[in-house]
Short mmCIF file of all heavy atoms in Angstrom, two decimals:
data_model
loop_
_atom_site.label_atom_id
_atom_site.label_comp_id
_atom_site.label_asym_id
_atom_site.label_seq_id
_atom_site.Cartn_x
_atom_site.Cartn_y
_atom_site.Cartn_z
N MET A 10 107.80 82.98 112.81
CA MET A 10 106.49 83.54 112.64
C MET A 10 106.59 85.00 113.00
O MET A 10 107.17 85.30 114.10
CB MET A 10 105.61 82.87 113.73
CG MET A 10 104.23 83.35 113.65
SD MET A 10 103.21 82.24 114.75
CE MET A 10 101.66 83.05 114.66
N LYS A 11 106.01 85.85 112.24
CA LYS A 11 106.07 87.32 112.37
C LYS A 11 105.07 87.82 113.32
O LYS A 11 104.01 87.23 113.48
CB LYS A 11 106.00 88.07 111.05
CG LYS A 11 107.16 87.70 110.21
CD LYS A 11 107.12 88.60 108.93
CE LYS A 11 108.35 88.34 108.11
NZ LYS A 11 108.47 89.24 106.93
N MET A 12 105.34 88.82 114.08
CA MET A 12 104.41 89.32 115.03
C MET A 12 103.24 90.13 114.25
O MET A 12 103.56 90.84 113.31
CB MET A 12 105.19 90.35 115.87
CG MET A 12 104.22 91.05 116.93
SD MET A 12 105.07 92.07 118.08
CE MET A 12 105.35 90.89 119.36
N ASP A 13 102.10 89.91 114.62
CA ASP A 13 100.96 90.66 114.13
C ASP A 13 100.67 91.82 114.78
O ASP A 13 100.16 91.82 115.96
CB ASP A 13 99.68 89.63 114.02
CG ASP A 13 98.45 90.22 113.52
OD1 ASP A 13 98.55 91.38 112.93
OD2 ASP A 13 97.43 89.65 113.67
N LEU A 14 101.04 93.09 114.16
CA LEU A 14 100.75 94.29 114.79
C LEU A 14 99.35 94.80 114.54
O LEU A 14 98.97 95.93 115.03
CB LEU A 14 101.71 95.30 114.22
CG LEU A 14 103.31 95.03 114.48
CD1 LEU A 14 104.15 95.93 113.81
CD2 LEU A 14 103.60 94.78 115.93
N ARG A 15 98.55 93.99 113.90
CA ARG A 15 97.17 94.31 113.73
C ARG A 15 96.92 95.68 113.13
O ARG A 15 96.14 96.42 113.57
CB ARG A 15 96.24 94.06 114.96
CG ARG A 15 96.30 92.69 115.52
CD ARG A 15 95.28 92.35 116.53
NE ARG A 15 95.25 93.31 117.66
CZ ARG A 15 95.92 93.28 118.78
NH1 ARG A 15 96.76 92.40 118.94
NH2 ARG A 15 95.73 94.19 119.66
N ASN A 16 97.67 95.89 112.01
CA ASN A 16 97.58 97.19 111.28
C ASN A 16 97.91 98.41 112.29
O ASN A 16 97.21 99.48 112.24
CB ASN A 16 96.17 97.29 110.60
CG ASN A 16 96.33 98.42 109.60
OD1 ASN A 16 97.31 98.66 108.90
ND2 ASN A 16 95.11 99.01 109.37
N ASN A 17 98.94 98.19 113.10
CA ASN A 17 99.35 99.14 114.19
C ASN A 17 98.36 99.45 115.26
O ASN A 17 98.38 100.38 115.91
CB ASN A 17 99.85 100.33 113.46
CG ASN A 17 101.15 100.09 112.69
OD1 ASN A 17 101.83 99.16 112.95
ND2 ASN A 17 101.39 101.06 111.83
N GLN A 18 97.38 98.47 115.41
CA GLN A 18 96.35 98.75 116.50
C GLN A 18 96.68 97.83 117.72
O GLN A 18 95.90 97.88 118.70
CB GLN A 18 94.95 98.30 116.00
CG GLN A 18 94.55 99.24 114.86
CD GLN A 18 94.40 100.80 115.11
OE1 GLN A 18 93.94 101.13 116.14
NE2 GLN A 18 95.32 101.49 114.38
N ILE A 19 97.76 97.19 117.68
CA ILE A 19 98.24 96.46 118.81
C ILE A 19 98.49 97.44 120.00
O ILE A 19 99.09 98.60 119.72
CB ILE A 19 99.43 95.54 118.46
CG1 ILE A 19 99.80 94.60 119.73
CG2 ILE A 19 100.64 96.44 118.18
CD1 ILE A 19 100.78 93.50 119.28
N THR A 20 98.27 97.20 121.20
CA THR A 20 98.51 98.18 122.26
C THR A 20 100.05 97.97 122.88
O THR A 20 100.64 96.93 122.66
CB THR A 20 97.58 97.90 123.48
OG1 THR A 20 97.98 96.60 124.11
CG2 THR A 20 96.21 98.05 123.01
N LEU A 21 100.50 98.95 123.45
CA LEU A 21 101.82 98.93 123.99
C LEU A 21 101.97 97.91 125.11
O LEU A 21 102.95 97.37 125.25
CB LEU A 21 102.06 100.32 124.59
CG LEU A 21 102.42 101.50 123.50
CD1 LEU A 21 102.78 102.72 124.28
CD2 LEU A 21 103.43 101.08 122.52
N GLY A 22 100.86 97.82 125.89
CA GLY A 22 100.76 96.77 126.86
C GLY A 22 101.11 95.36 126.41
O GLY A 22 101.82 94.49 126.85
N GLU A 23 100.47 95.05 125.19
CA GLU A 23 100.70 93.80 124.57
C GLU A 23 102.15 93.65 124.07
O GLU A 23 102.72 92.57 124.19
CB GLU A 23 99.70 93.49 123.21
CG GLU A 23 98.31 93.51 123.72
CD GLU A 23 97.29 93.55 122.47
OE1 GLU A 23 97.15 94.61 122.08
OE2 GLU A 23 96.96 92.42 122.11
N LEU A 24 102.72 94.71 123.53
CA LEU A 24 104.01 94.74 122.99
C LEU A 24 105.06 94.53 124.18
O LEU A 24 106.00 93.79 124.15
CB LEU A 24 104.43 96.05 122.18
CG LEU A 24 103.66 96.10 120.88
CD1 LEU A 24 103.74 97.58 120.30
CD2 LEU A 24 104.16 95.00 119.94
N TRP A 25 104.79 95.37 125.32
CA TRP A 25 105.74 95.29 126.49
C TRP A 25 105.62 93.95 127.15
O TRP A 25 106.60 93.44 127.70
CB TRP A 25 105.39 96.32 127.42
CG TRP A 25 105.93 97.74 126.88
CD1 TRP A 25 106.94 97.95 126.14
CD2 TRP A 25 105.32 98.97 127.21
NE1 TRP A 25 107.06 99.29 125.90
CE2 TRP A 25 106.11 99.93 126.62
CE3 TRP A 25 104.20 99.42 128.05
CZ2 TRP A 25 105.83 101.36 126.60
CZ3 TRP A 25 104.00 100.73 128.00
CH2 TRP A 25 104.72 101.63 127.37
N ASP A 26 104.50 93.22 127.04
CA ASP A 26 104.48 91.94 127.60
C ASP A 26 105.23 90.84 126.73
O ASP A 26 105.44 89.71 127.28
CB ASP A 26 102.87 91.36 127.67
CG ASP A 26 102.21 92.22 128.73
OD1 ASP A 26 102.89 92.85 129.78
OD2 ASP A 26 101.03 92.12 128.84
N ASN A 27 105.66 91.18 125.59
CA ASN A 27 106.41 90.35 124.74
C ASN A 27 107.88 90.77 124.86
O ASN A 27 108.37 91.78 124.64
CB ASN A 27 106.02 90.46 123.28
CG ASN A 27 106.75 89.54 122.26
OD1 ASN A 27 108.03 89.79 122.17
ND2 ASN A 27 106.08 88.76 121.73
N SER A 28 108.65 89.85 125.45
CA SER A 28 110.07 90.16 125.68
C SER A 28 110.81 90.55 124.53
O SER A 28 111.67 91.51 124.56
CB SER A 28 110.78 88.91 126.36
OG SER A 28 110.87 87.86 125.57
N ARG A 29 110.60 89.94 123.36
CA ARG A 29 111.36 90.41 122.21
C ARG A 29 110.92 91.74 121.67
O ARG A 29 111.84 92.59 121.30
CB ARG A 29 111.13 89.48 120.93
CG ARG A 29 111.70 88.05 121.26
CD ARG A 29 111.61 87.07 120.15
NE ARG A 29 110.27 87.01 119.65
CZ ARG A 29 109.82 86.72 118.38
NH1 ARG A 29 110.81 86.39 117.47
NH2 ARG A 29 108.59 86.72 117.96
N ALA A 30 109.60 92.14 121.83
CA ALA A 30 109.20 93.46 121.46
C ALA A 30 109.66 94.55 122.39
O ALA A 30 110.15 95.57 122.03
CB ALA A 30 107.66 93.43 121.29
N ARG A 31 109.65 94.27 123.77
CA ARG A 31 110.01 95.14 124.74
C ARG A 31 111.61 95.35 124.54
O ARG A 31 111.99 96.58 124.70
CB ARG A 31 109.89 94.42 126.15
CG ARG A 31 110.23 95.26 127.31
CD ARG A 31 109.85 94.74 128.64
NE ARG A 31 110.44 93.44 128.82
CZ ARG A 31 109.74 92.25 128.94
NH1 ARG A 31 108.46 92.27 128.78
NH2 ARG A 31 110.32 91.09 129.12
N SER A 32 112.33 94.37 124.11
CA SER A 32 113.89 94.61 123.92
C SER A 32 114.05 95.62 122.73
O SER A 32 114.97 96.46 122.81
CB SER A 32 114.60 93.34 123.59
OG SER A 32 114.23 92.84 122.43
N VAL A 33 113.08 95.63 121.79
CA VAL A 33 113.21 96.55 120.60
C VAL A 33 113.07 97.97 121.13
O VAL A 33 113.86 98.89 120.85
CB VAL A 33 112.09 96.30 119.55
CG1 VAL A 33 112.09 97.32 118.58
CG2 VAL A 33 112.38 94.94 118.84
N PHE A 34 111.97 98.16 121.98
CA PHE A 34 111.80 99.56 122.58
C PHE A 34 112.94 99.93 123.45
O PHE A 34 113.40 101.12 123.48
CB PHE A 34 110.57 99.57 123.47
CG PHE A 34 109.28 99.57 122.53
CD1 PHE A 34 108.55 98.51 122.37
CD2 PHE A 34 108.91 100.92 122.01
CE1 PHE A 34 107.35 98.60 121.55
CE2 PHE A 34 107.75 100.95 121.18
CZ PHE A 34 106.91 99.91 121.00
N GLN A 35 113.44 99.06 124.35
CA GLN A 35 114.58 99.34 125.20
C GLN A 35 115.78 99.69 124.51
O GLN A 35 116.59 100.60 124.88
CB GLN A 35 114.73 98.13 126.17
CG GLN A 35 113.75 97.92 127.15
CD GLN A 35 113.84 96.63 127.98
OE1 GLN A 35 114.37 95.72 127.44
NE2 GLN A 35 113.32 96.60 129.17
N ARG A 36 116.03 99.02 123.34
CA ARG A 36 117.21 99.40 122.59
C ARG A 36 117.15 100.59 121.72
O ARG A 36 117.98 101.45 121.64
CB ARG A 36 117.63 98.12 121.63
CG ARG A 36 118.90 98.28 120.88
CD ARG A 36 119.21 96.91 120.16
NE ARG A 36 118.25 96.69 119.01
CZ ARG A 36 117.34 95.79 119.12
NH1 ARG A 36 117.05 95.19 120.15
NH2 ARG A 36 116.46 95.63 118.11
N ARG A 37 115.91 100.86 121.08
CA ARG A 37 115.67 101.86 120.10
C ARG A 37 115.25 103.19 120.78
O ARG A 37 115.49 104.23 120.27
CB ARG A 37 114.89 101.38 119.06
CG ARG A 37 115.48 100.43 118.09
CD ARG A 37 114.66 100.31 116.81
NE ARG A 37 115.34 99.56 115.79
CZ ARG A 37 115.71 100.19 114.64
NH1 ARG A 37 115.61 101.47 114.47
NH2 ARG A 37 116.31 99.54 113.73
N ILE A 38 114.35 103.01 121.73
CA ILE A 38 113.77 104.24 122.37
C ILE A 38 113.85 104.01 123.89
O ILE A 38 112.77 103.77 124.51
CB ILE A 38 112.29 104.50 121.97
CG1 ILE A 38 112.21 104.48 120.39
CG2 ILE A 38 111.89 105.81 122.53
CD1 ILE A 38 110.84 104.55 120.00
N PRO A 39 115.10 104.05 124.51
CA PRO A 39 115.12 103.77 125.96
C PRO A 39 114.44 104.59 126.83
O PRO A 39 113.96 104.23 127.91
CB PRO A 39 116.69 103.78 126.13
CG PRO A 39 117.27 104.47 125.02
CD PRO A 39 116.32 104.29 123.84
N MET A 40 114.30 105.92 126.50
CA MET A 40 113.55 106.78 127.34
C MET A 40 112.05 106.46 127.49
O MET A 40 111.40 106.60 128.56
CB MET A 40 113.62 108.25 126.89
CG MET A 40 112.87 108.59 125.57
SD MET A 40 114.00 108.32 124.20
CE MET A 40 113.23 109.30 122.91
N LEU A 41 111.51 105.66 126.51
CA LEU A 41 110.06 105.27 126.60
C LEU A 41 109.95 104.14 127.75
O LEU A 41 108.94 104.24 128.51
CB LEU A 41 109.64 104.81 125.17
CG LEU A 41 108.16 104.39 125.12
CD1 LEU A 41 107.26 105.64 125.42
CD2 LEU A 41 107.87 103.83 123.83
N SER A 42 110.84 103.26 127.66
CA SER A 42 110.73 102.14 128.67
C SER A 42 110.99 102.60 130.07
O SER A 42 110.54 101.90 131.07
CB SER A 42 111.66 100.99 128.30
OG SER A 42 113.07 101.43 128.40
N LYS A 43 111.51 103.77 130.29
CA LYS A 43 111.75 104.32 131.65
C LYS A 43 110.77 105.36 132.08
O LYS A 43 110.94 105.99 133.10
CB LYS A 43 113.18 104.75 131.72
CG LYS A 43 114.20 103.70 131.46
CD LYS A 43 115.63 104.27 131.46
CE LYS A 43 116.53 103.19 131.04
NZ LYS A 43 117.88 103.63 130.53
N HIS A 44 110.01 105.76 131.07
CA HIS A 44 108.99 106.98 131.36
C HIS A 44 108.04 106.56 132.43
O HIS A 44 107.52 105.45 132.51
CB HIS A 44 108.20 107.25 130.08
CG HIS A 44 107.71 108.61 130.22
ND1 HIS A 44 106.57 108.96 130.86
CD2 HIS A 44 108.12 109.75 129.57
CE1 HIS A 44 106.33 110.14 130.73
NE2 HIS A 44 107.20 110.76 129.94
N PRO A 45 107.84 107.59 133.39
CA PRO A 45 106.96 107.39 134.47
C PRO A 45 105.49 106.97 134.15
O PRO A 45 104.86 106.29 134.97
CB PRO A 45 106.90 108.65 135.40
CG PRO A 45 107.67 109.61 134.53
CD PRO A 45 108.39 108.82 133.50
N VAL A 46 105.00 107.42 133.01
CA VAL A 46 103.63 107.02 132.60
C VAL A 46 103.46 105.78 131.87
O VAL A 46 102.52 105.37 131.21
CB VAL A 46 102.91 108.13 131.76
CG1 VAL A 46 102.74 109.39 132.64
CG2 VAL A 46 103.57 108.37 130.59
N LYS A 47 104.46 104.98 131.80
CA LYS A 47 104.62 103.72 131.09
C LYS A 47 103.43 102.81 131.47
O LYS A 47 102.80 102.29 130.51
CB LYS A 47 105.93 103.03 131.29
CG LYS A 47 106.08 101.79 130.46
CD LYS A 47 107.37 101.06 130.70
CE LYS A 47 107.26 99.57 130.93
NZ LYS A 47 108.24 98.88 131.38
N GLY A 48 103.14 102.72 132.64
CA GLY A 48 102.03 101.85 133.10
C GLY A 48 100.63 102.34 132.55
O GLY A 48 99.83 101.59 132.04
N ALA A 49 100.48 103.52 132.61
CA ALA A 49 99.27 104.22 132.11
C ALA A 49 99.10 104.18 130.53
O ALA A 49 98.03 104.22 129.99
CB ALA A 49 99.15 105.62 132.55
N ALA A 50 100.19 104.01 129.85
CA ALA A 50 100.23 103.91 128.49
C ALA A 50 99.98 102.52 127.87
O ALA A 50 99.98 102.38 126.64
CB ALA A 50 101.54 104.40 127.95
N ARG A 51 99.70 101.57 128.64
CA ARG A 51 99.41 100.13 128.19
C ARG A 51 98.35 100.10 127.19
O ARG A 51 98.32 99.26 126.47
CB ARG A 51 99.12 99.25 129.41
CG ARG A 51 100.42 98.96 130.28
CD ARG A 51 100.23 97.92 131.27
NE ARG A 51 99.83 96.67 130.80
CZ ARG A 51 100.73 95.74 130.29
NH1 ARG A 51 102.10 96.03 130.44
NH2 ARG A 51 100.27 94.64 129.79
N THR A 52 97.43 101.04 127.28
CA THR A 52 96.36 100.95 126.23
C THR A 52 96.42 101.76 125.01
O THR A 52 95.59 101.79 124.09
CB THR A 52 94.87 101.39 127.05
OG1 THR A 52 95.06 102.66 127.40
CG2 THR A 52 94.50 100.49 128.25
N VAL A 53 97.58 102.38 124.89
CA VAL A 53 97.87 103.23 123.79
C VAL A 53 98.22 102.26 122.68
O VAL A 53 99.01 101.39 122.94
CB VAL A 53 99.00 104.24 124.04
CG1 VAL A 53 99.62 104.92 122.77
CG2 VAL A 53 98.63 105.18 125.07
N THR A 54 97.70 102.54 121.40
CA THR A 54 98.06 101.65 120.34
C THR A 54 99.39 102.15 119.71
O THR A 54 99.85 103.13 119.94
CB THR A 54 97.06 101.70 119.11
OG1 THR A 54 97.00 103.07 118.67
CG2 THR A 54 95.57 101.39 119.72
N LEU A 55 99.99 101.27 118.95
CA LEU A 55 101.23 101.49 118.24
C LEU A 55 101.00 102.72 117.24
O LEU A 55 101.94 103.61 117.11
CB LEU A 55 101.68 100.30 117.54
CG LEU A 55 103.09 100.32 116.81
CD1 LEU A 55 104.18 100.81 117.83
CD2 LEU A 55 103.40 99.12 116.12
N GLU A 56 99.87 102.86 116.64
CA GLU A 56 99.51 103.88 115.75
C GLU A 56 99.59 105.21 116.51
O GLU A 56 100.09 106.17 116.14
CB GLU A 56 98.23 103.64 115.08
CG GLU A 56 97.89 104.79 114.11
CD GLU A 56 96.58 104.36 113.41
OE1 GLU A 56 95.46 104.76 114.03
OE2 GLU A 56 96.55 103.79 112.39
N GLN A 57 98.92 105.24 117.70
CA GLN A 57 98.80 106.40 118.51
C GLN A 57 100.25 106.78 119.03
O GLN A 57 100.57 108.04 119.05
CB GLN A 57 97.80 106.25 119.66
CG GLN A 57 96.39 106.14 119.33
CD GLN A 57 95.60 105.63 120.53
OE1 GLN A 57 96.08 104.81 121.28
NE2 GLN A 57 94.36 106.07 120.59
N LEU A 58 101.08 105.80 119.44
CA LEU A 58 102.33 106.09 119.88
C LEU A 58 103.24 106.69 118.67
O LEU A 58 103.93 107.65 119.04
CB LEU A 58 103.08 104.77 120.42
CG LEU A 58 104.52 104.99 120.85
CD1 LEU A 58 104.58 105.84 122.03
CD2 LEU A 58 105.08 103.66 121.08
N SER A 59 103.14 106.14 117.57
CA SER A 59 103.76 106.61 116.38
C SER A 59 103.53 108.20 116.19
O SER A 59 104.43 108.96 115.85
CB SER A 59 103.58 105.76 115.20
OG SER A 59 103.95 104.46 115.32
N ALA A 60 102.24 108.48 116.25
CA ALA A 60 101.91 109.88 116.09
C ALA A 60 102.42 110.75 117.15
O ALA A 60 102.88 111.83 116.81
CB ALA A 60 100.30 109.92 116.01
N LEU A 61 102.30 110.31 118.32
CA LEU A 61 102.90 111.15 119.35
C LEU A 61 104.39 111.32 119.40
O LEU A 61 104.93 112.34 119.45
CB LEU A 61 102.55 110.47 120.83
CG LEU A 61 103.11 111.13 121.99
CD1 LEU A 61 102.43 112.45 122.22
CD2 LEU A 61 102.91 110.34 123.26
N LEU A 62 105.10 110.25 119.04
CA LEU A 62 106.60 110.20 119.10
C LEU A 62 107.13 111.10 117.87
O LEU A 62 108.20 111.55 118.00
CB LEU A 62 107.14 108.85 118.97
CG LEU A 62 107.06 107.98 120.26
CD1 LEU A 62 107.61 106.58 120.01
CD2 LEU A 62 107.73 108.74 121.42
N SER A 63 106.36 111.08 116.76
CA SER A 63 106.84 111.80 115.58
C SER A 63 107.06 113.24 115.81
O SER A 63 107.79 113.93 115.08
CB SER A 63 105.91 111.58 114.40
OG SER A 63 104.67 112.15 114.61
N SER A 64 106.48 113.83 116.86
CA SER A 64 106.81 115.27 117.15
C SER A 64 108.09 115.29 118.09
O SER A 64 108.49 116.51 118.33
CB SER A 64 105.60 115.88 117.70
OG SER A 64 105.12 115.28 119.02
N TRP A 65 108.52 114.31 118.70
CA TRP A 65 109.57 114.29 119.59
C TRP A 65 110.91 113.68 119.01
O TRP A 65 111.97 114.13 119.45
CB TRP A 65 109.30 113.55 120.89
CG TRP A 65 108.21 114.13 121.62
CD1 TRP A 65 106.88 114.46 121.12
CD2 TRP A 65 108.09 114.43 123.03
NE1 TRP A 65 106.19 115.00 122.15
CE2 TRP A 65 106.81 114.94 123.25
CE3 TRP A 65 109.11 114.28 123.96
CZ2 TRP A 65 106.53 115.32 124.64
CZ3 TRP A 65 108.73 114.67 125.26
CH2 TRP A 65 107.35 115.22 125.51
N ILE A 66 110.69 112.66 118.11
CA ILE A 66 112.02 111.94 117.57
C ILE A 66 111.73 112.00 116.10
O ILE A 66 110.69 112.03 115.64
CB ILE A 66 112.12 110.70 118.17
CG1 ILE A 66 110.99 109.72 117.99
CG2 ILE A 66 112.39 110.61 119.73
CD1 ILE A 66 111.20 108.34 118.48
N PRO A 67 112.81 111.78 115.36
CA PRO A 67 112.74 111.61 113.92
C PRO A 67 111.85 110.56 113.47
O PRO A 67 111.78 109.43 114.05
CB PRO A 67 114.17 111.36 113.47
CG PRO A 67 115.07 111.74 114.61
CD PRO A 67 114.17 111.61 115.83
N GLU A 68 111.11 110.81 112.41
CA GLU A 68 110.10 109.85 111.92
C GLU A 68 110.89 108.52 111.32
O GLU A 68 110.40 107.36 111.69
CB GLU A 68 109.38 110.43 110.60
CG GLU A 68 108.45 109.40 109.89
CD GLU A 68 107.32 109.13 110.70
OE1 GLU A 68 106.84 109.91 111.63
OE2 GLU A 68 106.69 108.01 110.44
N SER A 69 112.06 108.64 110.98
CA SER A 69 112.89 107.47 110.63
C SER A 69 113.03 106.51 111.78
O SER A 69 112.98 105.32 111.73
CB SER A 69 114.16 107.76 109.87
OG SER A 69 115.04 108.60 110.78
N MET A 70 113.26 107.12 112.98
CA MET A 70 113.43 106.25 114.20
C MET A 70 112.11 105.58 114.53
O MET A 70 112.17 104.41 114.84
CB MET A 70 113.82 107.31 115.38
CG MET A 70 114.19 106.55 116.61
SD MET A 70 114.63 107.75 117.84
CE MET A 70 116.17 107.16 118.35
N VAL A 71 110.98 106.26 114.44
CA VAL A 71 109.76 105.63 114.67
C VAL A 71 109.42 104.48 113.71
O VAL A 71 109.15 103.34 114.05
CB VAL A 71 108.53 106.62 114.50
CG1 VAL A 71 107.11 105.92 114.62
CG2 VAL A 71 108.62 107.78 115.58
N GLN A 72 109.70 104.76 112.48
CA GLN A 72 109.56 103.72 111.40
C GLN A 72 110.62 102.54 111.57
O GLN A 72 110.15 101.36 111.30
CB GLN A 72 109.69 104.33 109.98
CG GLN A 72 108.51 105.20 109.63
CD GLN A 72 107.17 104.54 109.94
OE1 GLN A 72 106.93 103.49 109.51
NE2 GLN A 72 106.29 105.24 110.67
N GLY A 73 111.79 102.81 112.18
CA GLY A 73 112.57 101.76 112.34
C GLY A 73 112.17 100.82 113.41
O GLY A 73 112.28 99.57 113.39
N VAL A 74 111.60 101.40 114.53
CA VAL A 74 110.86 100.53 115.50
C VAL A 74 109.84 99.69 115.01
O VAL A 74 109.85 98.47 115.23
CB VAL A 74 110.34 101.42 116.67
CG1 VAL A 74 109.68 100.62 117.74
CG2 VAL A 74 111.63 102.07 117.38
N VAL A 75 108.84 100.34 114.30
CA VAL A 75 107.77 99.63 113.74
C VAL A 75 108.27 98.53 112.69
O VAL A 75 107.76 97.32 112.80
CB VAL A 75 106.82 100.57 112.95
CG1 VAL A 75 105.70 99.83 112.26
CG2 VAL A 75 106.09 101.63 114.02
N GLY A 76 109.24 98.80 111.86
CA GLY A 76 109.72 97.89 110.95
C GLY A 76 110.38 96.72 111.63
O GLY A 76 110.15 95.54 111.38
N GLU A 77 111.13 96.96 112.72
CA GLU A 77 111.80 95.84 113.52
C GLU A 77 110.65 94.99 114.18
O GLU A 77 110.82 93.79 114.26
CB GLU A 77 112.76 96.47 114.53
CG GLU A 77 113.63 95.36 115.05
CD GLU A 77 114.89 95.91 115.90
OE1 GLU A 77 115.22 97.13 115.66
OE2 GLU A 77 115.32 95.24 116.63
N LEU A 78 109.59 95.66 114.80
CA LEU A 78 108.60 94.92 115.34
C LEU A 78 107.86 93.96 114.49
O LEU A 78 107.48 92.91 114.79
CB LEU A 78 107.54 95.88 116.08
CG LEU A 78 108.02 96.59 117.25
CD1 LEU A 78 107.07 97.68 117.73
CD2 LEU A 78 108.32 95.73 118.42
N LYS A 79 107.69 94.48 113.14
CA LYS A 79 107.08 93.66 112.15
C LYS A 79 107.78 92.33 111.87
O LYS A 79 107.30 91.36 111.41
CB LYS A 79 106.81 94.46 110.82
CG LYS A 79 105.74 95.54 110.93
CD LYS A 79 105.59 96.20 109.69
CE LYS A 79 104.60 97.32 109.76
NZ LYS A 79 104.31 98.03 108.56
N LYS A 80 109.13 92.36 112.05
CA LYS A 80 109.92 91.31 111.76
C LYS A 80 109.97 90.25 112.79
O LYS A 80 110.42 89.10 112.68
CB LYS A 80 111.39 91.72 111.40
CG LYS A 80 111.53 92.59 110.20
CD LYS A 80 112.89 93.04 110.05
CE LYS A 80 113.07 94.02 108.84
NZ LYS A 80 114.36 94.59 108.67
N LEU A 81 109.53 90.66 114.02
CA LEU A 81 109.58 89.70 115.17
C LEU A 81 108.63 88.50 115.01
O LEU A 81 107.63 88.50 114.31
CB LEU A 81 109.17 90.36 116.39
CG LEU A 81 110.14 91.49 116.95
CD1 LEU A 81 109.61 92.01 118.36
CD2 LEU A 81 111.54 90.85 117.07
#
């Protein structure tokens, strides 16, 4: 069964509460899982995160994470 990302409106809190999704972030964007505002970011949507990260890391990396999450 594939993870429903709800058109990228799923929150980071929901993703981090899923061990498989959390492992994707830890493996692909390790600095995000260690960031001090991680707790405050629980209400950020995947869409919002993608927009924010696209100015810091390559778009291909962001899309790789989203693609892998869709396969979970």
Side-chain angles (χ1 to χ4, degrees):
M10 182 174 180
K11 292 187 178 184
M12 177 174 269
D13 180 11
L14 300 179
R15 298 192 313 270
N16 200 29
N17 293 340
Q18 296 306 304
I19 191 167
T20 66
L21 292 185
E23 292 171 281
L24 290 168
W25 285 329
D26 288 345
N27 178 297
S28 61
R29 295 184 309 154
R31 187 173 53 250
S32 72
V33 171
F34 282 103
Q35 289 170 334
R36 186 175 65 259
R37 289 189 166 254
I38 312 176
M40 69 269 201
L41 182 63
S42 63
K43 296 174 185 162
H44 199 281
V46 298
K47 181 180 143 191
R51 289 186 62 84
T52 59
V53 172
T54 66
L55 185 56
E56 182 177 84
Q57 292 169 323
L58 178 68
S59 295
L61 175 69
L62 288 179
S63 66
S64 63
W65 295 52
I66 61 176
E68 179 66 23
S69 59
M70 187 182 230
V71 173
Q72 291 309 311
V74 170
V75 173
E77 194 169 337
L78 290 171
K79 285 180 180 177
K80 294 177 185 175
L81 294 181

